Coordinates of all heavy atoms in Angstrom, one line a residue:
L53 N -5.8 15.4 -6.2 CA -5.1 14.2 -6.0 C -5.7 13.0 -6.7 O -6.9 13.1 -7.1 CB -5.1 14.0 -4.5 CG -4.4 15.1 -3.7 CD1 -4.7 15.1 -2.2 CD2 -2.9 15.0 -3.8
H54 N -5.0 11.9 -6.8 CA -5.5 10.7 -7.2 C -5.6 9.7 -6.1 O -5.0 10.0 -5.0 CB -4.6 10.1 -8.3 CG -4.6 10.9 -9.6 ND1 -4.0 12.1 -9.6 CD2 -5.0 10.6 -10.8 CE1 -4.1 12.6 -10.9 NE2 -4.7 11.7 -11.6
A55 N -6.3 8.6 -6.2 CA -6.4 7.6 -5.1 C -6.2 6.2 -5.5 O -6.3 5.9 -6.7 CB -7.8 7.8 -4.5
T56 N -5.8 5.4 -4.6 CA -5.8 4.0 -4.8 C -6.5 3.4 -3.5 O -6.2 3.7 -2.4 CB -4.5 3.3 -5.0 OG1 -4.6 1.9 -5.2 CG2 -3.4 3.6 -3.9
L57 N -7.6 2.6 -3.7 CA -8.4 2.2 -2.6 C -8.1 0.7 -2.2 O -7.9 -0.2 -3.1 CB -9.9 2.1 -3.0 CG -10.5 3.5 -3.4 CD1 -12.0 3.4 -3.5 CD2 -10.2 4.5 -2.3
D58 N -7.9 0.5 -0.9 CA -7.6 -0.8 -0.4 C -8.7 -1.3 0.5 O -8.9 -0.7 1.6 CB -6.3 -0.7 0.3 CG -6.0 -2.0 1.2 OD1 -6.3 -3.1 0.8 OD2 -5.4 -1.8 2.3
F59 N -9.4 -2.4 0.1 CA -10.4 -2.9 1.0 C -9.7 -3.8 2.0 O -9.0 -4.8 1.7 CB -11.4 -3.8 0.2 CG -12.5 -4.4 1.1 CD1 -13.4 -3.6 1.8 CD2 -12.5 -5.8 1.4 CE1 -14.4 -4.1 2.6 CE2 -13.4 -6.4 2.2 CZ -14.3 -5.5 2.8
L60 N -9.7 -3.4 3.3 CA -8.8 -3.9 4.3 C -9.0 -5.4 4.5 O -10.2 -5.8 4.5 CB -8.8 -3.2 5.6 CG -8.2 -1.7 5.5 CD1 -8.7 -0.9 6.6 CD2 -6.7 -1.8 5.5
G61 N -8.0 -6.1 4.8 CA -8.1 -7.6 5.1 C -6.8 -8.2 4.6 O -6.1 -7.7 3.7
E62 N -6.4 -9.3 5.3 CA -5.2 -10.0 4.9 C -5.2 -11.4 5.5 O -5.9 -11.6 6.5 CB -4.0 -9.2 5.3 CG -3.9 -8.8 6.7 CD -3.0 -7.6 7.0 OE1 -1.7 -7.8 6.9 OE2 -3.4 -6.5 7.3
D63 N -4.3 -12.2 5.0 CA -4.1 -13.6 5.6 C -5.3 -14.4 5.8 O -5.4 -15.1 6.8 CB -3.3 -13.4 6.9 CG -2.0 -12.7 6.8 OD1 -1.4 -12.9 5.7 OD2 -1.5 -12.1 7.7
T64 N -6.3 -14.3 4.9 CA -7.5 -15.1 5.1 C -7.3 -16.6 4.9 O -6.5 -16.9 3.9 CB -8.7 -14.5 4.3 OG1 -9.8 -15.3 4.7 CG2 -8.5 -14.7 2.8
L65 N -7.9 -17.4 5.7 CA -7.8 -18.8 5.6 C -9.2 -19.4 5.3 O -9.4 -20.5 5.4 CB -7.2 -19.5 6.9 CG -5.8 -19.1 7.2 CD1 -5.3 -19.6 8.5 CD2 -4.8 -19.6 6.1
D66 N -10.1 -18.5 4.9 CA -11.4 -18.8 4.7 C -11.9 -18.4 3.2 O -11.8 -17.3 2.9 CB -12.2 -18.0 5.8 CG -13.7 -18.2 5.6 OD1 -14.2 -18.9 4.7 OD2 -14.5 -17.5 6.4
R67 N -12.2 -19.4 2.5 CA -12.6 -19.2 1.1 C -13.7 -18.2 0.9 O -13.7 -17.3 0.0 CB -13.0 -20.5 0.4 CG -13.4 -20.4 -1.0 CD -12.2 -20.0 -1.9 NE -12.6 -19.5 -3.2 CZ -12.6 -20.2 -4.4 NH1 -12.0 -21.4 -4.4 NH2 -12.9 -19.6 -5.5
E68 N -14.7 -18.3 1.8 CA -15.9 -17.4 1.7 C -15.5 -15.9 2.0 O -15.9 -15.0 1.3 CB -17.0 -17.8 2.7 CG -18.2 -16.9 2.9 CD -18.8 -16.4 1.5 OE1 -18.7 -17.2 0.6 OE2 -19.1 -15.2 1.5
Q69 N -14.5 -15.8 2.9 CA -14.0 -14.4 3.2 C -13.3 -13.8 2.0 O -13.4 -12.7 1.6 CB -13.1 -14.4 4.4 CG -12.9 -13.1 5.0 CD -12.0 -13.0 6.2 OE1 -11.6 -14.1 6.7 NE2 -11.6 -11.9 6.6
A70 N -12.5 -14.7 1.4 CA -11.7 -14.3 0.1 C -12.7 -13.9 -1.0 O -12.6 -12.8 -1.6 CB -10.9 -15.4 -0.4
D71 N -13.8 -14.6 -1.2 CA -14.8 -14.3 -2.2 C -15.5 -12.9 -1.8 O -15.9 -12.2 -2.7 CB -15.8 -15.4 -2.3 CG -15.1 -16.6 -3.0 OD1 -14.0 -16.5 -3.5 OD2 -15.6 -17.8 -2.9
A72 N -15.8 -12.8 -0.5 CA -16.4 -11.5 0.0 C -15.5 -10.3 -0.3 O -16.0 -9.2 -0.7 CB -16.8 -11.6 1.5
T73 N -14.2 -10.5 -0.2 CA -13.3 -9.4 -0.5 C -13.4 -9.1 -2.0 O -13.4 -7.9 -2.4 CB -11.9 -9.8 -0.1 OG1 -11.8 -10.0 1.3 CG2 -10.9 -8.7 -0.5
V74 N -13.5 -10.1 -2.9 CA -13.6 -9.8 -4.3 C -14.9 -9.0 -4.5 O -14.9 -8.0 -5.3 CB -13.6 -11.1 -5.1 CG1 -13.9 -10.8 -6.6 CG2 -12.4 -11.9 -4.9
R75 N -16.0 -9.4 -3.9 CA -17.3 -8.7 -4.1 C -17.2 -7.3 -3.7 O -17.7 -6.4 -4.3 CB -18.4 -9.4 -3.3 CG -18.8 -10.8 -4.0 CD -20.2 -11.3 -3.4 NE -20.1 -11.6 -2.0 CZ -19.7 -12.7 -1.4 NH1 -19.3 -13.7 -2.3 NH2 -19.7 -13.0 -0.2
A76 N -16.5 -7.0 -2.5 CA -16.3 -5.7 -2.1 C -15.6 -4.8 -3.1 O -15.9 -3.7 -3.4 CB -15.5 -5.7 -0.8
Y77 N -14.5 -5.4 -3.7 CA -13.8 -4.7 -4.8 C -14.7 -4.4 -6.0 O -14.7 -3.3 -6.6 CB -12.5 -5.4 -5.3 CG -11.4 -5.1 -4.4 CD1 -10.9 -6.1 -3.5 CD2 -10.7 -3.9 -4.4 CE1 -9.8 -5.8 -2.6 CE2 -9.6 -3.6 -3.6 CZ -9.2 -4.6 -2.7 OH -8.1 -4.3 -1.9
L78 N -15.6 -5.4 -6.4 CA -16.4 -5.2 -7.5 C -17.4 -4.1 -7.2 O -17.7 -3.2 -8.1 CB -17.2 -6.4 -7.9 CG -16.3 -7.7 -8.2 CD1 -17.1 -8.8 -8.9 CD2 -15.2 -7.4 -9.1
E79 N -17.9 -4.0 -6.0 CA -18.9 -3.0 -5.6 C -18.3 -1.6 -5.6 O -18.8 -0.7 -6.2 CB -19.4 -3.3 -4.1 CG -20.4 -2.3 -3.7 CD -20.8 -2.6 -2.2 OE1 -21.2 -3.7 -1.9 OE2 -20.8 -1.6 -1.4
V80 N -17.0 -1.5 -5.1 CA -16.4 -0.1 -5.0 C -16.1 0.3 -6.4 O -16.2 1.5 -6.8 CB -15.3 -0.1 -4.0 CG1 -14.0 -0.6 -4.6 CG2 -15.1 1.3 -3.5
L81 N -15.6 -0.6 -7.3 CA -15.2 -0.2 -8.6 C -16.5 0.3 -9.4 O -16.4 1.3 -10.1 CB -14.6 -1.4 -9.4 CG -13.1 -1.6 -9.0 CD1 -12.7 -3.0 -9.4 CD2 -12.2 -0.6 -9.6
S82 N -17.6 -0.5 -9.2 CA -18.8 0.0 -10.0 C -19.3 1.4 -9.3 O -19.7 2.2 -10.1 CB -19.8 -1.1 -10.0 OG -20.9 -0.8 -9.2
S83 N -19.1 1.5 -8.1 CA -19.5 2.8 -7.5 C -18.7 3.9 -8.0 O -19.1 5.1 -8.3 CB -19.5 2.6 -6.0 OG -19.9 3.8 -5.3
L84 N -17.3 3.7 -8.1 CA -16.5 4.7 -8.6 C -16.8 5.1 -10.0 O -16.8 6.3 -10.4 CB -15.0 4.2 -8.5 CG -14.4 4.1 -7.1 CD1 -13.1 3.3 -7.2 CD2 -14.1 5.5 -6.4
A85 N -17.0 4.1 -10.9 CA -17.4 4.3 -12.3 C -18.7 5.1 -12.4 O -18.8 6.1 -13.1 CB -17.5 3.0 -13.0
E86 N -19.7 4.7 -11.6 CA -21.0 5.4 -11.6 C -20.8 6.9 -11.3 O -21.5 7.8 -11.9 CB -21.9 4.9 -10.6 CG -22.9 3.9 -11.1 CD -23.6 3.2 -9.9 OE1 -23.9 3.9 -8.9 OE2 -23.8 2.0 -10.0
R87 N -19.9 7.2 -10.4 CA -19.8 8.6 -9.9 C -18.7 9.4 -10.7 O -18.3 10.4 -10.3 CB -19.4 8.6 -8.4 CG -20.7 8.3 -7.6 CD -20.3 7.9 -6.2 NE -21.5 7.6 -5.4 CZ -22.2 6.5 -5.6 NH1 -21.9 5.6 -6.4 NH2 -23.3 6.4 -4.8
G88 N -18.1 8.7 -11.8 CA -17.2 9.4 -12.6 C -15.9 9.6 -11.9 O -15.1 10.5 -12.2
L89 N -15.5 8.7 -10.9 CA -14.3 8.9 -10.1 C -13.2 7.9 -10.6 O -12.0 7.9 -10.0 CB -14.5 8.7 -8.6 CG -15.6 9.7 -8.0 CD1 -15.9 9.3 -6.6 CD2 -15.1 11.1 -8.1
A90 N -13.6 6.9 -11.4 CA -12.6 5.8 -11.7 C -11.4 6.3 -12.4 O -10.3 5.6 -12.3 CB -13.4 4.7 -12.5
R91 N -11.5 7.3 -13.2 CA -10.3 7.7 -14.0 C -9.2 8.1 -13.1 O -8.0 7.9 -13.5 CB -10.7 8.9 -14.9 CG -9.9 9.1 -16.1 CD -10.5 10.0 -17.1 NE -10.8 11.3 -16.5 CZ -9.9 12.3 -16.5 NH1 -8.7 12.2 -17.0 NH2 -10.2 13.5 -15.9
N92 N -9.5 8.7 -12.0 CA -8.5 9.1 -11.0 C -8.2 8.1 -9.9 O -7.5 8.5 -8.9 CB -8.8 10.5 -10.5 CG -8.9 11.5 -11.5 OD1 -8.0 11.6 -12.4 ND2 -9.9 12.4 -11.6
T93 N -8.8 7.0 -9.9 CA -8.7 6.1 -8.8 C -8.5 4.7 -9.2 O -9.3 4.1 -10.0 CB -10.1 6.1 -8.0 OG1 -10.5 7.5 -7.8 CG2 -10.0 5.4 -6.7

Side-chain angles (χ1 to χ4, degrees):
L53 300 162
H54 293 66
T56 180
L57 297 191
D58 166 36
F59 180 68
L60 289 162
E62 53 200 289
D63 297 334
T64 186
L65 295 172
D66 174 4
R67 178 68 200 254
E68 174 45 35
Q69 198 184 351
D71 294 343
T73 296
V74 177
R75 289 195 295 276
Y77 275 106
L78 303 192
E79 182 183 311
V80 80
L81 282 163
S82 111
S83 182
L84 291 168
E86 262 169 42
R87 287 164 179 73
L89 302 173
R91 203 165 59 86
N92 295 316
T93 311

